[in-house]
Amino acid sequence: LGANIACCAYILGVVVPTNAYVTPGITAAARNPPVFAASKSGDVPAGFSTNSAQFEMQELRANLNTIVERDIPPILLSEPKRDELMSYCGAVISDFQKRLDEDAGVQGGWRTAVSNAMMGKHILPNSPGFGEAQARAETLAGSRWKLAFSTEGTVLSQLPRGANVVLDFLDERSLEYKLVFKNDPKSWFTLDDIVATSSYTVNEADNPGLVTFTYEKVTADVFGGNTIPVGLFGMLKGQTNFIYPAYYDGNIWVEYGIAPDGEEYYSIFVQVKK
């Protein structure tokens, strides 16, 4: 999300280099996200039929549902809450990747399981996630995702107060990347949202699950519905962006990335109704 938020920050008058963040999924480190410490629920033999992070997943889902239902922007979460969510997320990702690794007998490993889930080709009962929770959508196409949590520095420092990110997958080839602003009558800011209509692909080969999307048209909705083009303000047609997954189950989607300073960050999207 770094490059996207940086471009949006430029539109809002905050100067941030558009190449401030490397593209996740391209470097060797991004291809191999670190495995977190084992779940506090205890060590369990590997295998996708065993889930050792049920408690953490339950707590993570409950917290994310509350954040989304109350429409709390990621930047407004307290540091203790972010630490709590990251501890749950770490246990979930570690358990997920270990259980769905090739060493556990899953062909193609967890990356292929993620790619299959995104494309509607599940190789496991229900979703590849936890607690036999059925995924809301069989594919990314037709789904909508809202950013609920992030440890990414650009998100926490440059995302305008009250703003949030929404990914709206229109079909198998098109999506809308949206920066949505809350309607605050006390604010001078009259921008409702910035929408980048984009084409996208899901990698199923050398980097399974990597979502690549390219801006085709960028507009802003202002003054109660007037749409204007904003390509000259930083979000340019032809700009390519990446989302590299560390976890995906059709309800929760965790992105992993690395900043130029070596910072590893995670962002969590939750699927919401259209």
Side-chain angles (χ1 to χ4, degrees):
L1 290 176
N4 302 292
I5 300 298
C7 289
C8 293
Y10 175 81
I11 296 172
L12 301 175
V14 181
V15 179
V16 179
T18 57
N19 62 345
Y21 277 61
V22 297
T23 52
I26 300 303
T27 64
R31 288 175 184 270
N32 298 281
V35 176
F36 290 85
S39 163
K40 62 185 178 183
S41 298
D43 294 328
V44 181
F48 62 75
S49 62
T50 302
N51 171 18
S52 63
Q54 292 184 6
F55 169 78
E56 288 86 350
M57 175 54 85
Q58 291 172 357
E59 292 299 310
L60 181 63
R61 287 186 186 278
N63 276 274
L64 294 176
N65 286 338
T66 299
I67 290 170
V68 171
E69 289 171 0
R70 296 183 180 179
D71 197 20
I72 303 173
I75 195 173
L76 296 185
L77 294 177
S78 66
E79 186 171 349
K81 175 56 68 175
R82 288 199 297 270
D83 290 342
E84 177 189 354
L85 291 175
M86 198 61 237
S87 69
Y88 297 145
C89 183
V92 166
I93 292 174
S94 175
D95 182 70
F96 172 75
Q97 294 182 1
K98 287 179 179 178
R99 290 189 300 111
L100 294 179
D101 193 12
E102 288 184 297
D103 293 339
V106 179
Q107 185 176 4
W110 66 269
R111 294 175 181 82
T112 298
V114 164
S115 176
N116 286 338
M118 289 179 171
M119 302 303 292
K121 298 182 291 187
H122 292 294
I123 59 174
L124 303 176
N126 295 317
S127 74
F130 299 82
E132 298 184 350
Q134 180 65 49
R136 292 186 189 175
E138 290 293 310
T139 64
L140 280 179
S143 64
R144 175 178 293 168
W145 299 80
K146 188 174 186 178
L147 181 64
F149 164 79
S150 184
T151 65
E152 186 176 354
T154 302
V155 172
L156 299 177
S157 64
Q158 303 297 348
L159 190 66
R161 184 180 180 87
N164 207 343
V165 175
V166 173
L167 297 172
D168 199 347
F169 289 83
L170 306 179
D171 51 39
E172 291 80 6
R173 295 184 299 272
S174 302
L175 69 81
E176 290 182 341
Y177 176 95
K178 302 178 181 179
L179 189 61
V180 180
F181 302 89
K182 279 190 174 182
N183 183 17
D184 185 356
K186 295 182 180 180
S187 174
W188 60 269
F189 200 63
T190 57
L191 189 62
D192 292 327
D193 58 39
I194 300 173
V195 180
T197 303
S198 311
S199 58
Y200 79 94
T201 60
V202 179
N203 191 313
E204 298 182 75
D206 59 324
N207 209 341
L210 173 67
V211 175
T212 303
F213 60 101
T214 302
Y215 296 153
E216 303 291 345
K217 180 182 178 182
V218 184
T219 58
D221 204 17
V222 297
F223 302 114
N226 296 317
T227 300
I228 62 173
V230 295
L232 295 178
F233 293 88
M235 297 175 68
L236 300 177
K237 179 179 180 180
Q239 179 180 328
T240 299
N241 309 277
F242 306 85
I243 301 177
Y244 187 80
Y247 175 87
Y248 175 92
D249 69 5
N251 293 293
I252 295 173
W253 182 4
V254 182
E255 175 196 16
Y256 169 75
I258 302 175
D261 61 1
E263 175 202 13
E264 297 174 345
Y265 61 84
Y266 291 83
S267 296
I268 304 180
F269 294 87
V270 175
Q271 190 188 159
V272 295
K273 295 181 180 180
K274 288 199 174 187

